[in-house]
Amino acid sequence: MKTKQFYKYLLIIGGSMIPLSMIMFIFGISMFTARGDFSSFVIQLSQFCFIFWMPVFVLGIILLIIGSIMQKRNI
């Protein structure tokens, strides 16, 4: 992989992780107020989404920052 194009991958991955973390947060919160009979898979998935939404969000921001710095410096 060329290092001059590596920043593009960081920008794409970081940019896609931020909306993913928002979806994870909304799904995790919505299961707190949900009523009904849900499968154990959906319940476990919502727990993991609620636990890991913040690290995914922070990692997405970090990757975006690193990618933009690399783009500006032409590394």
Coordinates of all heavy atoms in Angstrom, one line a residue:
M1 N 0.8 -1.2 0.0 CA 0.0 0.0 0.0 C 0.9 1.2 0.0 O 1.8 1.3 0.8 CB -0.9 0.0 1.3 CG -1.7 1.2 1.4 SD -2.8 1.2 2.9 CE -3.1 -0.5 3.3
K2 N 0.6 2.2 -0.9 CA 1.3 3.4 -0.9 C 1.0 4.3 0.3 O -0.2 4.4 0.6 CB 1.1 4.1 -2.2 CG 1.5 3.4 -3.4 CD 1.2 4.2 -4.7 CE 1.7 3.4 -5.9 NZ 1.4 4.1 -7.1
T3 N 2.0 4.9 0.8 CA 1.7 5.8 2.0 C 1.0 7.1 1.6 O 0.4 7.7 2.4 CB 3.0 6.1 2.7 OG1 3.9 6.7 1.8 CG2 3.7 4.8 3.3
K4 N 1.2 7.5 0.3 CA 0.5 8.7 -0.1 C -1.0 8.5 -0.2 O -1.8 9.5 -0.2 CB 1.1 9.2 -1.5 CG 2.5 9.6 -1.4 CD 2.8 10.5 -2.5 CE 4.2 11.0 -2.3 NZ 4.4 12.4 -2.2
Q5 N -1.5 7.3 -0.4 CA -2.9 7.0 -0.4 C -3.5 6.5 0.9 O -4.7 6.2 1.0 CB -3.2 6.1 -1.6 CG -2.9 6.7 -2.9 CD -3.2 5.7 -4.1 OE1 -3.6 4.6 -3.8 NE2 -3.1 6.2 -5.3
F6 N -2.6 6.2 1.8 CA -3.1 5.7 3.1 C -4.0 6.6 3.8 O -4.9 6.1 4.5 CB -1.8 5.3 4.0 CG -2.2 4.6 5.2 CD1 -2.7 3.4 5.2 CD2 -1.9 5.2 6.5 CE1 -3.0 2.7 6.4 CE2 -2.2 4.6 7.6 CZ -2.8 3.3 7.6
Y7 N -3.9 7.9 3.7 CA -4.7 8.8 4.4 C -6.2 8.7 3.9 O -7.1 8.9 4.6 CB -4.2 10.2 4.3 CG -4.4 10.8 2.9 CD1 -5.5 11.5 2.5 CD2 -3.4 10.7 1.9 CE1 -5.7 12.0 1.2 CE2 -3.5 11.3 0.7 CZ -4.7 11.9 0.3 OH -4.8 12.5 -0.9
K8 N -6.4 8.3 2.6 CA -7.7 8.1 2.1 C -8.5 7.0 2.8 O -9.6 7.2 3.1 CB -7.7 7.8 0.6 CG -7.2 9.0 -0.2 CD -7.2 8.6 -1.7 CE -6.6 9.7 -2.5 NZ -6.6 9.4 -4.0
Y9 N -7.7 5.9 3.1 CA -8.4 4.8 3.8 C -8.7 5.2 5.3 O -9.7 4.9 5.8 CB -7.4 3.6 3.8 CG -7.2 3.1 2.5 CD1 -6.0 3.1 1.9 CD2 -8.2 2.5 1.7 CE1 -5.7 2.6 0.6 CE2 -8.0 2.0 0.5 CZ -6.8 2.0 -0.1 OH -6.6 1.5 -1.3
L10 N -7.8 6.0 5.9 CA -8.1 6.5 7.2 C -9.3 7.4 7.3 O -10.1 7.3 8.2 CB -6.9 7.2 7.8 CG -5.7 6.3 8.2 CD1 -4.5 7.2 8.7 CD2 -6.0 5.3 9.2
L11 N -9.4 8.3 6.3 CA -10.6 9.2 6.2 C -11.9 8.4 5.9 O -12.9 8.7 6.5 CB -10.4 10.2 5.1 CG -9.3 11.3 5.4 CD1 -9.1 12.1 4.2 CD2 -9.6 12.1 6.6
I12 N -11.8 7.4 5.1 CA -13.0 6.6 4.8 C -13.5 5.8 6.0 O -14.6 5.8 6.4 CB -12.8 5.7 3.6 CG1 -12.7 6.6 2.3 CG2 -13.9 4.7 3.5 CD1 -12.3 5.8 1.1
I13 N -12.5 5.2 6.7 CA -12.8 4.3 7.8 C -13.3 5.2 9.0 O -14.3 4.9 9.6 CB -11.6 3.5 8.2 CG1 -11.3 2.5 7.2 CG2 -11.8 2.8 9.6 CD1 -10.0 1.7 7.3
G14 N -12.6 6.3 9.3 CA -13.0 7.2 10.3 C -14.3 7.8 10.1 O -15.2 8.0 11.0
G15 N -14.6 8.2 8.8 CA -15.9 8.8 8.5 C -17.0 7.9 8.5 O -18.2 8.3 8.8
S16 N -16.8 6.6 8.3 CA -17.9 5.6 8.4 C -18.1 5.1 9.9 O -19.2 4.6 10.2 CB -17.6 4.4 7.5 OG -16.4 3.8 7.9
M17 N -17.1 5.3 10.7 CA -17.2 4.8 12.1 C -18.1 5.8 12.9 O -18.8 5.4 13.9 CB -15.9 4.7 12.8 CG -15.1 3.5 12.3 SD -13.5 3.3 13.0 CE -14.0 2.6 14.6
I18 N -18.1 7.1 12.6 CA -18.9 8.0 13.3 C -20.4 7.8 13.1 O -21.1 7.7 14.1 CB -18.5 9.5 13.0 CG1 -17.1 9.7 13.5 CG2 -19.5 10.5 13.6 CD1 -16.5 11.0 13.1
P19 N -20.9 7.6 11.9 CA -22.4 7.3 11.8 C -22.7 5.9 12.4 O -23.8 5.7 13.0 CB -22.6 7.3 10.3 CG -21.5 8.1 9.7 CD -20.4 7.9 10.6
L20 N -21.7 5.0 12.3 CA -21.9 3.7 12.9 C -22.1 3.8 14.4 O -23.0 3.1 15.0 CB -20.8 2.7 12.5 CG -20.8 1.4 13.2 CD1 -22.0 0.5 12.6 CD2 -19.5 0.6 13.0
S21 N -21.3 4.6 15.0 CA -21.4 4.7 16.5 C -22.7 5.4 16.9 O -23.3 5.1 17.9 CB -20.2 5.6 17.0 OG -20.3 6.9 16.6
M22 N -23.2 6.3 16.0 CA -24.5 6.9 16.3 C -25.6 5.9 16.2 O -26.6 5.9 17.0 CB -24.8 8.1 15.4 CG -23.9 9.3 15.6 SD -24.2 10.5 14.4 CE -22.8 11.6 14.7
I23 N -25.6 5.0 15.2 CA -26.6 4.0 15.1 C -26.5 3.0 16.2 O -27.5 2.6 16.8 CB -26.4 3.2 13.7 CG1 -26.7 4.2 12.6 CG2 -27.2 2.0 13.7 CD1 -26.3 3.6 11.2
M24 N -25.3 2.7 16.7 CA -25.1 1.8 17.8 C -25.7 2.4 19.1 O -26.4 1.7 19.9 CB -23.6 1.5 18.1 CG -23.0 0.6 17.0 SD -21.2 0.5 17.1 CE -21.0 -0.3 18.7
F25 N -25.5 3.7 19.3 CA -26.0 4.4 20.5 C -27.6 4.4 20.4 O -28.2 4.1 21.4 CB -25.5 5.8 20.5 CG -26.0 6.6 21.7 CD1 -25.6 6.3 23.0 CD2 -26.9 7.6 21.5 CE1 -26.1 7.1 24.0 CE2 -27.4 8.4 22.5 CZ -27.0 8.1 23.8
I26 N -28.1 4.7 19.3 CA -29.6 4.8 19.2 C -30.2 3.4 19.4 O -31.2 3.2 20.1 CB -30.0 5.4 17.8 CG1 -29.6 6.8 17.8 CG2 -31.5 5.2 17.5 CD1 -29.8 7.5 16.4
F27 N -29.6 2.4 18.8 CA -30.1 1.0 19.0 C -29.9 0.5 20.5 O -30.9 -0.1 21.0 CB -29.3 0.0 18.1 CG -29.7 -1.4 18.2 CD1 -31.0 -1.8 17.8 CD2 -28.9 -2.4 18.8 CE1 -31.4 -3.1 17.9 CE2 -29.3 -3.7 18.9 CZ -30.6 -4.0 18.5
G28 N -28.8 0.9 21.1 CA -28.7 0.5 22.5 C -29.6 1.2 23.4 O -30.2 0.6 24.4
I29 N -29.9 2.5 23.2 CA -30.8 3.2 24.0 C -32.3 2.8 23.7 O -33.1 2.7 24.7 CB -30.7 4.8 23.7 CG1 -29.4 5.3 24.3 CG2 -31.8 5.5 24.3 CD1 -29.3 5.2 25.8
S30 N -32.6 2.5 22.5 CA -34.0 2.1 22.2 C -34.3 0.8 22.8 O -35.5 0.5 23.1 CB -34.1 2.0 20.7 OG -33.4 0.9 20.1
M31 N -33.4 -0.1 23.1 CA -33.7 -1.4 23.7 C -34.0 -1.2 25.2 O -34.6 -2.1 25.8 CB -32.6 -2.4 23.5 CG -32.5 -2.9 22.1 SD -34.0 -3.7 21.6 CE -34.0 -5.2 22.7
F32 N -33.5 -0.1 25.8 CA -33.9 0.2 27.2 C -35.4 0.4 27.4 O -36.0 0.0 28.4 CB -33.1 1.4 27.8 CG -31.7 1.0 28.2 CD1 -30.6 1.6 27.6 CD2 -31.5 0.2 29.3 CE1 -29.4 1.3 28.0 CE2 -30.3 -0.1 29.7 CZ -29.2 0.4 29.1
T33 N -36.0 1.1 26.4 CA -37.4 1.4 26.5 C -38.3 0.5 25.7 O -39.5 0.7 25.7 CB -37.6 2.9 26.0 OG1 -37.2 2.9 24.6 CG2 -36.8 3.9 26.8
A34 N -37.7 -0.5 25.1 CA -38.5 -1.4 24.3 C -39.3 -2.4 25.2 O -38.9 -2.8 26.2 CB -37.6 -2.2 23.3
R35 N -40.5 -2.7 24.7 CA -41.4 -3.6 25.4 C -41.7 -4.7 24.4 O -41.8 -4.5 23.2 CB -42.7 -3.0 25.9 CG -42.4 -1.8 26.7 CD -43.5 -1.7 27.8 NE -43.4 -0.5 28.6 CZ -42.7 -0.3 29.6 NH1 -41.9 -1.3 30.0 NH2 -42.7 0.8 30.3
G36 N -41.7 -5.9 24.9 CA -42.1 -7.0 24.0 C -41.1 -8.2 24.2 O -40.2 -8.2 25.1
D37 N -41.3 -9.2 23.4 CA -40.6 -10.4 23.5 C -39.5 -10.3 22.4 O -39.7 -10.5 21.2 CB -41.5 -11.6 23.3 CG -40.7 -12.9 23.5 OD1 -39.8 -12.9 24.3 OD2 -41.1 -13.9 22.9
F38 N -38.3 -10.1 22.8 CA -37.1 -10.0 21.9 C -36.2 -11.2 22.1 O -36.2 -11.8 23.2 CB -36.3 -8.8 22.2 CG -37.0 -7.5 21.8 CD1 -37.6 -6.7 22.8 CD2 -37.1 -7.1 20.5 CE1 -38.3 -5.6 22.5 CE2 -37.8 -5.9 20.2 CZ -38.4 -5.2 21.2
S39 N -35.6 -11.6 21.1 CA -34.7 -12.8 21.2 C -33.5 -12.4 22.0 O -33.1 -11.3 22.2 CB -34.3 -13.3 19.8 OG -33.5 -12.3 19.2
S40 N -32.8 -13.4 22.5 CA -31.6 -13.2 23.3 C -30.5 -12.6 22.5 O -29.7 -11.8 23.0 CB -31.2 -14.5 24.0 OG -30.8 -15.4 23.0
F41 N -30.5 -12.9 21.2 CA -29.5 -12.3 20.3 C -29.6 -10.8 20.2 O -28.6 -10.1 20.3 CB -29.5 -12.9 18.9 CG -28.6 -12.3 17.9 CD1 -27.3 -12.5 18.0 CD2 -29.1 -11.4 17.0 CE1 -26.4 -11.9 17.1 CE2 -28.3 -10.8 16.1 CZ -26.9 -11.0 16.1
V42 N -30.8 -10.3 20.1 CA -31.1 -8.9 20.0 C -30.7 -8.2 21.3 O -30.2 -7.1 21.3 CB -32.5 -8.6 19.5 CG1 -32.9 -7.1 19.6 CG2 -32.8 -9.2 18.2
I43 N -31.1 -8.8 22.4 CA -30.8 -8.2 23.7 C -29.2 -8.1 23.9 O -28.7 -7.1 24.4 CB -31.4 -9.0 24.8 CG1 -33.0 -8.9 24.7 CG2 -31.0 -8.6 26.2 CD1 -33.7 -9.9 25.6
Q44 N -28.5 -9.2 23.6 CA -27.1 -9.2 23.7 C -26.4 -8.2 22.8 O -25.5 -7.5 23.1 CB -26.5 -10.6 23.5 CG -26.9 -11.6 24.5 CD -26.2 -11.3 25.8 OE1 -25.1 -10.8 25.9 NE2 -26.9 -11.6 26.9
L45 N -27.0 -8.1 21.6 CA -26.4 -7.1 20.6 C -26.6 -5.7 21.1 O -25.7 -4.9 20.9 CB -27.1 -7.3 19.2 CG -26.7 -6.4 18.1 CD1 -25.2 -6.7 17.8 CD2 -27.6 -6.7 16.9
S46 N -27.8 -5.4 21.7 CA -28.0 -4.1 22.2 C -27.1 -3.7 23.3 O -26.6 -2.6 23.5 CB -29.5 -3.9 22.6 OG -29.8 -4.7 23.7
Q47 N -26.8 -4.7 24.2 CA -25.9 -4.5 25.3 C -24.5 -4.2 24.7 O -23.8 -3.2 25.2 CB -25.8 -5.7 26.2 CG -27.1 -5.9 27.0 CD -27.1 -7.2 27.8 OE1 -26.1 -8.0 27.7 NE2 -28.1 -7.4 28.5
F48 N -24.0 -4.9 23.8 CA -22.7 -4.7 23.2 C -22.6 -3.3 22.5 O -21.6 -2.6 22.5 CB -22.2 -5.8 22.3 CG -21.8 -7.0 23.0 CD1 -22.5 -8.2 22.9 CD2 -20.7 -7.0 23.8 CE1 -22.0 -9.3 23.6 CE2 -20.2 -8.1 24.5 CZ -20.9 -9.3 24.4
C49 N -23.7 -3.0 21.8 CA -23.8 -1.7 21.1 C -23.7 -0.6 22.1 O -23.0 0.4 21.8 CB -25.1 -1.6 20.3 SG -25.0 -2.5 18.7
F50 N -24.4 -0.7 23.2 CA -24.4 0.4 24.2 C -23.0 0.5 24.8 O -22.6 1.6 25.2 CB -25.5 0.2 25.2 CG -25.6 1.4 26.1 CD1 -26.2 2.6 25.6 CD2 -25.3 1.3 27.4 CE1 -26.3 3.7 26.4 CE2 -25.4 2.4 28.2 CZ -26.0 3.6 27.7
I51 N -22.3 -0.6 25.0 CA -21.0 -0.6 25.7 C -20.0 0.0 24.7 O -19.1 0.8 25.2 CB -20.6 -2.0 26.1 CG1 -21.5 -2.5 27.3 CG2 -19.1 -2.1 26.5 CD1 -21.3 -3.9 27.6
F52 N -20.0 -0.4 23.5 CA -18.9 0.0 22.6 C -19.2 1.2 21.7 O -18.4 1.5 20.8 CB -18.6 -1.2 21.7 CG -17.9 -2.3 22.4 CD1 -18.5 -3.6 22.6 CD2 -16.7 -2.1 23.0 CE1 -17.9 -4.6 23.3 CE2 -16.1 -3.2 23.7 CZ -16.7 -4.4 23.9
W53 N -20.3 1.9 21.8 CA -20.5 3.1 20.9 C -19.5 4.2 21.2 O -19.1 4.8 20.2 CB -22.0 3.6 21.1 CG -22.2 4.4 22.3 CD1 -22.6 4.0 23.5 CD2 -22.1 5.8 22.4 NE1 -22.7 5.0 24.4 CE2 -22.4 6.2 23.7 CE3 -21.7 6.8 21.5 CZ2 -22.4 7.5 24.1 CZ3 -21.7 8.1 21.9 CH2 -22.1 8.5 23.2
M54 N -19.2 4.4 22.4 CA -18.2 5.5 22.7 C -16.8 5.3 22.2 O -16.2 6.1 21.6 CB -18.2 5.9 24.2 CG -17.4 7.1 24.5 SD -18.0 8.6 23.6 CE -18.6 9.5 25.0
P55 N -16.3 4.1 22.4 CA -14.9 3.8 21.8 C -14.9 3.8 20.3 O -13.9 4.3 19.7 CB -14.6 2.4 22.3 CG -15.4 2.2 23.5 CD -16.6 3.0 23.3
V56 N -16.0 3.4 19.7 CA -16.0 3.5 18.2 C -16.1 4.9 17.7 O -15.4 5.3 16.8 CB -17.3 2.6 17.7 CG1 -17.5 2.9 16.2 CG2 -17.1 1.2 17.9
F57 N -16.8 5.7 18.5 CA -16.9 7.2 18.1 C -15.6 7.8 18.3 O -15.2 8.6 17.4 CB -18.0 7.8 19.0 CG -18.2 9.3 18.7 CD1 -18.9 9.7 17.6 CD2 -17.8 10.2 19.6 CE1 -19.1 11.0 17.3 CE2 -18.0 11.6 19.4 CZ -18.6 12.0 18.2
V58 N -14.9 7.6 19.4 CA -13.6 8.2 19.6 C -12.6 7.8 18.6 O -11.8 8.5 18.1 CB -13.2 8.0 21.1 CG1 -11.7 8.4 21.3 CG2 -14.1 8.7 22.1
L59 N -12.6 6.5 18.3 CA -11.6 5.9 17.3 C -11.9 6.5 15.9 O -10.9 6.8 15.2 CB -11.7 4.4 17.3 CG -10.7 3.7 16.4 CD1 -9.3 3.9 16.9 CD2 -11.0 2.2 16.4
G60 N -13.1 6.7 15.6 CA -13.5 7.3 14.3 C -13.0 8.8 14.2 O -12.4 9.2 13.2
I61 N -13.1 9.5 15.3 CA -12.6 10.9 15.3 C -11.1 10.9 15.3 O -10.5 11.7 14.5 CB -13.1 11.6 16.6 CG1 -14.6 11.9 16.5 CG2 -12.3 12.9 16.8 CD1 -15.2 12.5 17.7
I62 N -10.4 10.0 16.0 CA -9.0 9.9 15.9 C -8.5 9.6 14.5 O -7.5 10.2 14.0 CB -8.4 8.9 17.0 CG1 -8.6 9.5 18.4 CG2 -7.0 8.6 16.7 CD1 -8.4 8.5 19.5
L63 N -9.1 8.6 13.9 CA -8.7 8.3 12.5 C -8.9 9.4 11.5 O -8.1 9.6 10.6 CB -9.4 7.0 12.1 CG -9.0 5.7 12.7 CD1 -9.9 4.6 12.2 CD2 -7.6 5.4 12.5
L64 N -10.0 10.2 11.7 CA -10.3 11.3 10.9 C -9.2 12.4 11.1 O -8.7 13.0 10.1 CB -11.6 11.9 11.2 CG -12.8 11.3 10.4 CD1 -14.1 12.0 10.9 CD2 -12.7 11.5 8.9
I65 N -8.8 12.6 12.3 CA -7.8 13.6 12.6 C -6.4 13.2 12.0 O -5.7 14.0 11.3 CB -7.7 13.9 14.1 CG1 -8.9 14.6 14.6 CG2 -6.4 14.7 14.4 CD1 -9.0 14.7 16.1
I66 N -6.1 11.9 12.2 CA -4.8 11.4 11.6 C -4.8 11.5 10.1 O -3.8 11.9 9.5 CB -4.5 10.0 12.2 CG1 -4.2 10.0 13.6 CG2 -3.3 9.4 11.4 CD1 -4.1 8.7 14.3
G67 N -5.9 11.1 9.5 CA -6.0 11.1 8.1 C -5.9 12.5 7.5 O -5.3 12.8 6.5
S68 N -6.6 13.5 8.2 CA -6.5 14.9 7.7 C -5.1 15.5 7.9 O -4.7 16.2 7.0 CB -7.6 15.7 8.4 OG -7.3 15.8 9.7
I69 N -4.4 15.1 8.9 CA -3.1 15.6 9.1 C -2.2 15.0 8.1 O -1.3 15.7 7.5 CB -2.6 15.3 10.6 CG1 -3.3 16.1 11.6 CG2 -1.1 15.5 10.7 CD1 -3.0 15.7 13.0
M70 N -2.3 13.7 7.8 CA -1.5 13.1 6.8 C -1.8 13.7 5.4 O -0.9 13.9 4.6 CB -1.7 11.6 6.7 CG -1.1 10.9 7.9 SD -1.5 9.1 7.9 CE -0.6 8.6 6.5
Q71 N -3.0 14.1 5.1 CA -3.4 14.7 3.8 C -2.7 16.0 3.7 O -2.2 16.4 2.6 CB -4.9 14.7 3.7 CG -5.4 15.3 2.4 CD -6.8 15.4 2.3 OE1 -7.5 15.4 3.4 NE2 -7.4 15.6 1.2
K72 N -2.8 16.8 4.7 CA -2.2 18.2 4.7 C -0.7 18.2 4.6 O -0.1 19.0 4.0 CB -2.7 19.0 5.9 CG -4.1 19.3 5.8 CD -4.5 20.2 7.0 CE -6.0 20.4 6.8 NZ -6.5 21.2 8.0
R73 N -0.1 17.2 5.2 CA 1.4 17.1 5.1 C 1.9 16.3 3.9 O 3.1 16.2 3.8 CB 1.9 16.5 6.4 CG 1.7 17.4 7.6 CD 2.5 16.9 8.8 NE 2.4 17.8 9.9 CZ 3.0 17.6 11.0 NH1 3.8 16.6 11.2 NH2 2.9 18.5 12.0
N74 N 1.0 15.7 3.2 CA 1.4 14.9 2.0 C 2.3 13.7 2.4 O 3.3 13.5 1.7 CB 1.9 15.7 0.9 CG 0.9 16.6 0.3 OD1 -0.3 16.2 0.2 ND2 1.3 17.8 -0.1
I75 N 2.0 13.0 3.4 CA 2.9 11.9 3.9 C 2.6 10.7 3.0 O 1.5 10.4 2.8 CB 2.7 11.6 5.4 CG1 3.2 12.8 6.2 CG2 3.5 10.4 5.7 CD1 3.1 12.7 7.6

